[in-house]
Amino acid sequence: MDSVFGKYRNLNTPIHKMDARLKIFALIILMVACFLPYARSSIINSEGIPEYFGYYANTFLVLGILALIIFIIMIISKTSFKSFLKSLNAIWLMIIFLLIFMVFIPRTTSTETLHPIVTFSNGYAIYWDGVLQCLHVVLRIILMLALTLILTSTTAPMDITYALDWYMKPLSLLKIPTQIFTMIISLALRFIPTLLEKSQRIMKAQKSRGVDFNKGFISAKVKSITTLIVPLLVSCFSISDDLSVAMYVRGYEPYGKRTNYKVLTFKLSDLLAFIILLVILGFFIFLCVMAQHYHINFWEFFGIKGTW
Amino acid sequence: MQIKGFNIKYIYNENSIDRSTALNGVSFTFNQGDFICIVGKTGSGKSTLVQTLNALLLPSEGYVNIDEFFITGNKKLKKELLKKKDKKQKKDNKNYSNLRKKVGLVFQFPEYQLFSNSVINDVMFGPLNFGFSKEEAKTMAIKALSDVGLNENYYEKSPFLLSGGEKRRVAIAGILASNPEVIVLDEPTAGLDNKGKVEIMKVLTTLNNLGKTLIVITHDMSVVQNYAKTVIVMSEGKIVHKTIPDKLFDEVDLEEYSLEVPLFIKFKKLLKNNGFEGNLEKISSYQDLIDEIIRIKGSKLNG
């Protein structure tokens, strides 16, 4: 069973060495960059001609720059493209769903500005606006997937947990026991492979009792899943009982102050990366403001006039 | 019914970095009514081997042949094997559910496969899956439960409230209920106390006496000594010895395979090394040994 997100690969690249807290920060910044609007808000230009291509041209151009940045990070971090393509496998159903809906029913303020590619005799049509909108959403999702994949394949799960713990620290001022959340996350991460192995064993055991997990209608499938879920839950409870006793015996105190064997350290290179990230964020916010407020497209900075 | 294996190879995670060869060219023939014990270090390929017997794992190379079934993951080989054969066979070899009716596999710690709210429902589950009617399934389940020594007081109990040994007997009954001709068990006595162990082995011996083929993976050499007719030693994905238990203890250095020598055998060897004059070859129980000692002592006294 492959999980959607990439497994951690223990390599020695600058991205791997980066502080986990910074990587989470970078993930958030680049995701924000994915979702900023990079288009003029007006769709009709001064001569009264609709600019629907211009609208999307700027967006796609900027997202293209972002994709290039992410691509470079992928190369530096030696993230496998195979696992990236594999993770895309998980969302193709969603993409088809989006395609069907957005191509036929584009989001718009008034129907007059729609630009049909084909109009069917019964009044339905496929619109340029829908196709471009759909591409826009899909591109954003793919970029986000790539970002999370980079994070999970370059950062050990425990490091992610420590980083999340660090981000949650302010909550402890409100007397929220953040260390318990961290413990829960790290235990959950620790037991994913164990439970996968257990479920595979149970599936095999039920198969030899004649269960076919792939065949049958929905009712048969529900029945066969029950034969997996119930034993899995039973063994989950017995594991958690054993685990809690084992932790108790070794002196675990939920509200006590905890120290870590591995301490996250912020290095000089991390500071440099932090500054680069801020510059990137600034650049994208600048592009966003320019397009939204001053109606200047990206290429117009280079003296190229006109819309698409 | 004979089970034949021809040059079976099995590789875990074949296309990945962490690929590992579990079976490396294993061939064997198991006869009807045999009681086979498979022993070997952990990781020697025992569990992988028995999982190929009912097609839970398909060999990467080579094949297992049981009656009309050919179990292999090699599509080219399978096509060759099934050539010119009838349609029914092709259908049977597509998904192996009919095979699993014939070859029942009881996993290690089988109590983890229990899921129903009552013992009888859980045992009936297998036969129902294999297409028997509800009445038939119930009769089969009752028979299986009595075979493992559980009476009607247990039928309506929740399997989760039983003791470890009882749970295991229910799980074994779950496999027996479909009346398989071959029963494969992966460490049936692991984690049981001595009484539980003896009870389980008694059930298995009875089944063997009824003509069923039993294949048992075990680390417990007393099981091998007392119950097995044939013993197979596996190491690094290969069968390194196939012999009868007595010969195994006499001829094979068990420590090489991390196997323990039973006390009785150790004692016999010590006697031999210390110049015991009696005939130790034929002795297989403590009573025989006592008789032999008395015989020699008596003859010496007489002499």
Side-chain angles (χ1 to χ4, degrees):
Chain A
M1 245 178 246
D2 283 317
S3 69
V4 177
F5 293 112
K7 284 178 198 139
Y8 171 60
R9 298 168 74 213
N10 195 357
L11 299 173
N12 193 13
T13 72
I15 308 286
H16 281 77
K17 281 189 219 156
M18 216 164 138
D19 190 293
R21 291 167 291 184
L22 190 64
K23 273 189 264 189
I24 290 182
F25 178 69
L27 178 82
I28 294 166
I29 280 192
L30 292 171
M31 275 194 181
V32 168
C34 280
F35 278 87
L36 286 174
Y38 303 106
R40 290 182 180 198
S41 45
S42 70
I43 295 176
I44 313 271
N45 70 7
S46 51
E47 288 143 29
I49 303 161
E51 269 184 24
Y52 60 102
F53 278 129
Y55 181 95
Y56 282 105
N58 200 40
T59 306
F60 286 131
L61 192 66
V62 178
L63 283 185
I65 296 168
L66 192 58
L68 191 71
I69 293 173
I70 294 170
F71 184 70
I72 291 168
I73 299 174
M74 273 178 103
I75 289 175
I76 296 174
S77 65
K78 293 183 183 159
T79 306
S80 84
F81 286 92
K82 221 173 154 186
S83 60
F84 175 57
L85 292 178
K86 243 187 194 170
S87 67
L88 286 185
N89 246 345
I91 60 158
W92 67 266
L93 247 177
M94 193 167 100
I95 292 177
I96 289 176
F97 192 72
L98 277 174
L99 262 175
I100 293 169
F101 271 78
M102 299 194 96
V103 167
F104 284 101
I105 318 160
R107 196 184 53 179
T108 177
T109 42
S110 72
T111 43
E112 280 119 295
T113 53
L114 289 177
H115 306 84
I117 306 173
V118 212
T119 313
F120 301 111
S121 54
N122 55 5
Y124 284 101
I126 296 175
Y127 300 102
W128 272 116
D129 313 64
V131 173
L132 292 172
Q133 264 172 30
C134 179
L135 272 178
H136 185 192
V137 173
V138 170
L139 192 61
R140 277 172 172 176
I141 294 171
I142 290 175
L143 290 182
M144 263 173 46
L145 261 183
L147 284 170
T148 32
L149 186 78
I150 293 168
L151 178 76
T152 50
S153 68
T154 61
T155 321
M158 281 320 287
D159 283 350
I160 297 182
T161 323
Y162 292 146
L164 287 177
D165 184 38
W166 187 82
Y167 278 109
M168 283 196 291
K169 255 181 192 159
L171 288 176
S172 60
L173 291 176
L174 302 169
K175 303 268 179 215
I176 295 170
T178 53
Q179 69 272 41
I180 290 184
F181 294 126
T182 323
M183 184 53 86
I184 291 169
I185 295 170
S186 58
L187 286 180
L189 286 173
R190 152 68 186 80
F191 279 97
I192 288 173
T194 310
L195 291 180
L196 273 180
E197 201 190 304
K198 269 205 185 300
S199 62
Q200 269 168 358
R201 270 186 55 133
I202 294 167
M203 274 171 97
K204 272 188 189 166
Q206 305 296 24
K207 256 190 191 171
S208 59
R209 292 214 274 170
V211 180
D212 194 337
F213 284 94
N214 303 319
K215 245 174 78 178
F217 295 111
I218 291 173
S219 62
K221 275 204 170 138
V222 169
K223 176 91 188 159
S224 57
I225 289 293
T226 321
T227 67
L228 170 66
I229 297 288
V230 175
L232 196 61
L233 274 180
V234 170
S235 62
C236 258
F237 285 124
S238 89
I239 290 175
S240 63
D241 272 351
D242 289 351
L243 183 70
S244 64
V245 172
M247 282 168 78
Y248 188 68
V249 175
R250 292 204 283 168
Y252 175 67
E253 166 58 61
Y255 296 97
K257 193 166 162 48
R258 299 184 62 76
T259 53
N260 289 328
Y261 167 67
K262 195 175 172 183
V263 181
L264 297 175
T265 47
F266 208 76
K267 298 175 285 287
L268 193 69
S269 56
D270 289 324
L271 187 69
L272 192 71
F274 183 65
I275 293 167
I276 295 173
L277 275 171
L278 286 185
V279 170
I280 290 176
L281 181 66
F283 172 68
F284 283 103
I285 290 178
F286 172 73
L287 288 184
C288 170
V289 172
M290 277 302 166
Q292 287 282 314
H293 250 270
Y294 300 101
H295 297 190
I296 300 172
N297 283 326
F298 180 63
W299 57 84
E300 287 171 81
F301 296 123
F302 304 101
I304 303 167
K305 288 275 172 217
T307 53
W308 211 257
Chain B
M1 175 168 81
Q2 236 182 10
I3 304 174
K4 287 182 188 162
F6 294 92
N7 196 25
I8 302 167
K9 281 188 185 167
Y10 190 86
I11 302 163
Y12 282 103
N13 304 324
E14 199 162 357
N15 301 317
S16 157
I17 320 160
D18 47 347
R19 58 177 275 155
S20 62
T21 309
L23 295 177
N24 196 0
V26 175
S27 300
F28 53 82
T29 309
F30 298 152
N31 292 318
Q32 169 97 39
D34 208 347
F35 194 130
I36 301 143
C37 276
I38 305 179
V39 295
K41 277 182 203 172
T42 42
S44 57
K46 306 182 297 284
S47 295
T48 311
L49 176 66
V50 297
Q51 284 181 46
T52 61
L53 298 183
N54 81 344
L56 286 174
L57 298 176
L58 301 175
S60 325
E61 275 175 49
Y63 65 95
V64 181
N65 172 222
I66 301 171
D67 285 355
E68 71 269 30
F69 298 100
F70 291 94
I71 304 154
T72 178
N74 188 332
K75 280 179 188 159
K76 210 174 136 194
L77 178 66
K78 193 168 174 179
K79 216 172 174 184
E80 274 171 33
L81 289 169
L82 294 179
K83 236 179 212 173
K84 300 170 201 161
K85 299 278 164 69
D86 54 315
K87 270 184 187 170
K88 188 182 169 293
Q89 192 194 27
K90 273 193 178 159
K91 199 184 157 200
D92 278 341
N93 277 285
K94 211 163 199 178
N95 80 23
Y96 291 99
S97 74
N98 282 336
L99 167 73
R100 291 182 187 135
K101 219 189 288 183
K102 285 190 177 177
V103 182
L105 176 58
V106 182
F107 273 83
Q108 199 174 3
F109 301 111
E111 43 275 31
Y112 286 126
Q113 71 186 38
L114 302 175
F115 71 96
S116 269
N117 50 358
S118 71
V119 166
I120 190 93
N121 279 344
D122 210 287
V123 179
M124 276 167 68
F125 179 67
L128 286 175
N129 277 328
F130 290 125
F132 292 99
S133 74
K134 229 172 183 171
E135 286 74 36
E136 284 173 315
K138 193 158 187 181
T139 328
M140 292 165 108
I142 289 172
K143 183 167 181 310
L145 282 168
S146 80
D147 280 349
V148 297
L150 296 175
N151 57 23
E152 65 271 16
N153 295 334
Y154 284 92
Y155 294 173
E156 294 305 323
K157 279 191 184 170
S158 162
F160 301 108
L161 299 176
L162 303 178
S163 75
E166 288 167 337
K167 271 186 194 167
R168 187 160 306 178
R169 279 191 270 164
V170 172
I172 292 177
I175 296 292
L176 295 185
S178 329
N179 200 18
E181 291 171 47
V182 180
I183 304 163
V184 189
L185 300 108
D186 193 346
E187 297 217 33
T189 58
L192 289 185
D193 59 12
N194 195 46
K195 190 171 165 246
K197 187 172 107 181
V198 171
E199 276 172 4
I200 294 279
M201 290 319 294
K202 228 163 98 186
V203 171
L204 298 185
T205 319
T206 319
L207 290 167
N208 186 233
N209 291 339
L210 291 171
K212 296 200 187 293
T213 313
L214 278 152
I215 301 169
V216 176
I217 294 180
T218 186
H219 282 121
D220 188 339
M221 296 311 279
S222 66
V223 169
V224 178
Q225 188 200 349
N226 296 326
Y227 303 98
K229 291 180 185 164
T230 308
V231 57
I232 283 174
V233 184
M234 288 194 71
S235 178
E236 287 166 15
K238 283 184 174 161
I239 293 181
V240 283
H241 293 284
K242 185 182 176 190
T243 174
I244 56 168
D246 285 346
K247 275 196 177 165
L248 174 83
F249 297 127
D250 283 344
E251 293 164 11
V252 180
D253 178 19
L254 291 174
E255 271 165 25
E256 191 186 328
Y257 306 109
S258 302
L259 297 171
E260 197 191 12
V261 184
L263 259 182
F264 181 69
I265 306 291
K266 269 189 196 163
F267 185 53
K268 250 169 71 170
K269 276 192 179 163
L270 266 177
L271 281 176
K272 200 176 173 185
N273 293 345
N274 283 292
F276 183 69
E277 292 160 3
N279 184 8
L280 286 166
E281 301 281 304
K282 285 176 193 163
I283 290 168
S284 59
S285 70
Y286 283 108
Q287 190 56 53
D288 290 351
L289 189 62
I290 292 168
D291 290 347
E292 181 70 8
I293 292 172
I294 291 172
R295 193 182 63 78
I296 289 173
K297 217 178 164 191
S299 68
K300 270 197 179 166
L301 281 177
N302 289 341

